[in-house]
Amino acid sequence: MPALNNCHNIADLRRKAQSRLPAPMFHYIDGGSDDEWTLRRNTLAFDDYQFNPGYLRDVSRIDLGVNVLGCDLALPFFLAPTGMSRLFHHEKEPAACRAAHRFGTLYSLSTLATTSLEDVAACSDGPRMFQIYILKDRELTREFVQRCRAAGYHALCLTVDTPLAGNRERDLYNGMTMPPKITPRNFFSYGTSFHWLFHLLRAPDFRLANVAHRVDALGGGAMGLIDYVNSQFDRSVTWDDAAWLVDQWDGPFVIKGLLSVEDVKRARDIGASGVMVSNHGGRQLEGAPAPVDCIAALRDAVGDDLQLIADGGIRRGTHIIKALALGADACSIGRGYLYGLAAGGQRGVERALHLLRAELERSLALLGCASVRELRADMVRHLPRY
Ligand SMILES: Cc1cc2nc3c(=O)[nH]c(=O)nc-3n(C[C@H](O)[C@H](O)[C@H](O)COP(=O)(O)O)c2cc1C
């Protein structure tokens, strides 16, 4: 496998991640729900748009900066919340957070993280968002709000596309459990992931650090991940709960997982500052549309009243440029940085961010744009379907 510096795109980092991780962990990152049509479509949809370049413009300096949720970011994309980073690398969430901040962008911490929100806050001063689920234990939600305020989080993100976990069949085939459990079926893949295994034996700290004190879910040994997630999600959560949380937080607030005009307008009406247009990276509802295909209509519907973040399928700088041109204020990436984390901890995440930044700078200049703020809908064309 190539060294990190010889990984020249996210696909290379993905291959490196696969070579380092036991199969259950790799497929937990890589997989989606059911037949994985939505997962594939999230990335393939970008191919339905082509650029309309302009030349003889001064592109000697490229500005990638955006303002999202009141934070000035040096990049037009940030790190989406992803649970359980310890499964992928022993440096876990702080590695991703530090890398994000070194590149001047925002880090989102998941409710289901393996590092506490206080420990992540202590690792750097950069902008941070906490992703919250309204769990059955509502007291925990109230507690998160107070802890995030005390720890200086800049924004709160409520994920709403997870009333229950999606059907991720790769996890079933590969014996994915949390904490990991070595079984006869996956023995070989654990046994050959020497680096990962070494750190497993040294520090098997797979606690869901933000919830473990209230939910003794992991106490009874290895539990199916989907069973655990299902046991905590509350299917009775409604817009009233979302509105309640907006009031409780009283600061930059994002709703993650909306795709329809009706829902996005509703998010605006209850006072959200932004929406992450997302299908959870193809891990929840199979058949949900690709976020990039939704952006233009959502932007038309809400004008400048709400920030729109395109989340899902991004593997290239050109994908980010297309989403921004169609009307997104920023983008977010999940697997794109997790492959880097698994491939090499903080250095791997930095490699992913470096590659995407270089692709953005190069492609913007080739498109004839000196700044992401200049991107307009007429710079991309939707290809007709045959
Ligand atoms: C391994 C993994 C764990 C995730 N965990 C969470 C989570 O805890 N909370 C959440 O809101 N989204 C979670 N997501 C979804 C991401 O926030 C994001 O929506 C998705 O990864 C975007 O698609 P992409 O991976 O193609 O960039 C997770 C995604 C992955 C791949």
Side-chain angles (χ1 to χ4, degrees), residues 173-321:
Y173 290 124
N174 287 293
M176 172 66 189
T177 55
M178 175 65 179
K181 192 176 166 197
I182 301 178
T183 64
R185 197 188 296 175
N186 59 33
F187 176 80
F188 183 74
S189 81
Y190 278 98
T192 51
S193 306
F194 304 114
H195 185 264
W196 191 92
L197 200 58
F198 172 74
H199 288 284
L200 170 77
L201 298 174
R202 267 188 77 212
D205 52 345
F206 292 96
R207 260 171 23 104
L208 296 182
N210 291 302
V211 298
H213 62 295
R214 290 185 69 101
V215 186
D216 193 23
L218 305 182
M223 184 183 199
L225 194 69
I226 291 179
D227 293 342
Y228 170 70
V229 170
N230 268 330
S231 75
Q232 286 311 307
F233 288 147
D234 185 348
R235 299 188 197 185
S236 69
V237 173
T238 66
W239 281 100
D240 289 342
D241 299 293
W244 167 80
L245 199 55
V246 170
D247 281 350
Q248 292 283 307
W249 176 246
D250 196 22
F253 191 98
V254 182
I255 302 186
K256 175 171 184 280
L258 304 182
L259 294 157
S260 76
V261 165
E262 188 192 345
D263 278 353
V264 167
K265 283 184 171 168
R266 211 149 170 193
R268 174 195 60 192
D269 295 344
I270 64 163
S273 346
V275 160
M276 286 175 77
V277 181
S278 173
N279 55 37
H280 217 103
R283 298 164 78 79
Q284 289 296 111
L285 174 66
E286 173 74 326
V292 67
D293 285 333
C294 303
I295 290 291
L298 298 180
R299 175 56 70 209
D300 279 352
V302 294
D304 291 333
D305 292 350
L306 198 70
Q307 292 207 303
L308 296 178
I309 292 136
D311 171 78
I314 289 167
R315 304 288 183 267
R316 287 282 188 187
T318 50
H319 296 165
I320 296 171
I321 296 175

Side-chain angles (χ1 to χ4, degrees), residues 28-31 39 42-43 80-84 88 110-113 131-133 157-159 161-162 168 256 276 278-283 311-315 332-336 338:
Y28 178 64
I29 300 181
D30 200 57
L39 169 66
N42 279 354
T43 300
T82 59
M84 297 180 280
F88 318 130
S110 164
T111 293
L112 301 177
Q131 176 266 318
I132 212 163
Y133 286 116
C157 162
L158 172 66
T159 297
D161 55 8
T162 323
R168 306 190 196 141
K256 175 171 184 280
M276 286 175 77
S278 173
N279 55 37
H280 217 103
R283 298 164 78 79
D311 171 78
I314 289 167
R315 304 288 183 267
S332 55
I333 58 167
R335 294 179 185 83
L338 287 179

